[in-house]
Amino acid sequence: MALFILPSNATCLNLQQRLPDPRLRPWVQCLWSMAGQGSVVPPRTEKLYPDAGSSLTIRLASSQPTITFCFNKSTLLETFNPSETRLSIRFKAAGAYALLGLEPQQFSDIHHSLGIDDKPPWLDSLMPVVERLYQVNTVEGLALLEAWLMSRLECQSPSNSRTQNLAYEISRLQLPLQQLMANLGFTRRTLERKLKQEVGVSPGHLVSYARMYNARQLLTTSHLPLAEIALQCGYFDQAHFSHAFHKFTYETPAAYRKRKLSQIYKA
């Protein structure tokens, strides 16, 4: 799926991201952090668009850390508090299932706290790492999290699953779904079952995410009219595109383009 995109206020929030070790890249998009800056910068609300990925996030509060997992199946509005320090691992489609054994659909659209009612078996190995995060800066903290992921990789040794490969191929929008299933040896029933378990969404969701990502890119990097963008992204016409875009992003394509271009020019 698409690369992780930092929000427009990344500089204000002191957001940084780290590409994972090449051995982790089949499953991990990136690791990112937000360093606490006191109360100088006000909280910011951002839209988190779904891409079939999921996030393991650690919030470092003064009293005790909070570890959450979230799979945003739909677009979420999230408030980033600059006074808070957080570090997060952004997994690709099926990445959390392969490395952590988590089924994304059980964590849809909300940050679920881990460790109280829901304690996955790998949490004990993560807690010593979390304790060390209080003693280092966020750059070193991301390196510690990456090392922990590498230890998970060595323990579990997951292989590139056919499900993950298919999710990637669907997101490219290059071949019809029936042909992809035939190429990878799936029946439709098996495909939908495995996608639901390992990725958390249906084939139709993956197509929708990919089309919306392409549309968002074209809206901000080209001067193409909306009707042309609609056709290039696989919609019947501009009306179909506008309806789908508004349902996905909570704003019209024209409003999205205006807002994003305004942020670019201000920068």
Side-chain angles (χ1 to χ4, degrees), residues 122-166:
W122 44 262
L123 191 61
D124 287 338
S125 69
L126 178 61
M127 291 309 299
V129 178
V130 174
E131 292 173 3
R132 289 190 61 191
L133 296 180
Y134 283 96
Q135 305 166 13
V136 299
N137 60 40
T138 53
V139 174
E140 296 169 322
L142 292 180
L144 289 174
L145 286 178
E146 182 183 64
W148 175 74
L149 282 174
M150 289 300 300
S151 70
R152 291 291 307 162
L153 184 62
E154 293 171 0
C155 291
Q156 203 155 318
S157 299
S159 60
N160 282 322
S161 71
R162 291 191 301 160
T163 309
Q164 189 175 40
N165 292 338
L166 184 57

Side-chain angles (χ1 to χ4, degrees), residues 47-181:
K47 293 177 182 177
L48 303 182
Y49 300 107
D51 63 356
S54 55
S55 297
L56 179 70
T57 302
I58 302 166
R59 293 175 170 85
L60 301 180
S62 56
S63 55
Q64 61 181 9
T66 302
I67 303 173
T68 62
F69 184 79
C70 180
F71 169 65
N72 58 312
K73 188 174 181 178
S74 57
T75 298
L76 299 181
L77 295 176
E78 181 162 348
T79 299
F80 291 84
N81 188 344
S83 64
E84 175 186 76
T85 298
R86 69 169 77 178
L87 301 92
S88 185
I89 303 166
R90 182 66 180 176
F91 293 96
K92 294 180 179 179
Y97 181 85
L99 291 179
L100 303 182
L102 297 178
E103 296 186 14
Q105 62 176 332
Q106 299 179 10
F107 304 88
S108 295
D109 293 339
I110 190 172
H111 288 275
H112 293 256
S113 295
L114 303 178
I116 302 177
D117 297 326
D118 189 352
K119 186 179 180 181
W122 44 262
L123 191 61
D124 287 338
S125 69
L126 178 61
M127 291 309 299
V129 178
V130 174
E131 292 173 3
R132 289 190 61 191
L133 296 180
Y134 283 96
Q135 305 166 13
V136 299
N137 60 40
T138 53
V139 174
E140 296 169 322
L142 292 180
L144 289 174
L145 286 178
E146 182 183 64
W148 175 74
L149 282 174
M150 289 300 300
S151 70
R152 291 291 307 162
L153 184 62
E154 293 171 0
C155 291
Q156 203 155 318
S157 299
S159 60
N160 282 322
S161 71
R162 291 191 301 160
T163 309
Q164 189 175 40
N165 292 338
L166 184 57
Y168 170 73
E169 290 298 332
I170 292 174
S171 72
R172 294 179 63 212
L173 303 176
Q174 297 295 312
L175 294 174
L177 184 59
Q178 292 293 337
Q179 184 174 342
L180 286 174
M181 288 190 297

Side-chain angles (χ1 to χ4, degrees), residues 219-236:
L219 285 169
T220 56
T221 61
S222 77
H223 298 288
L224 291 173
L226 298 184
E228 180 60 29
I229 291 176
L231 292 176
Q232 286 198 22
C233 294
Y235 295 95
F236 298 125

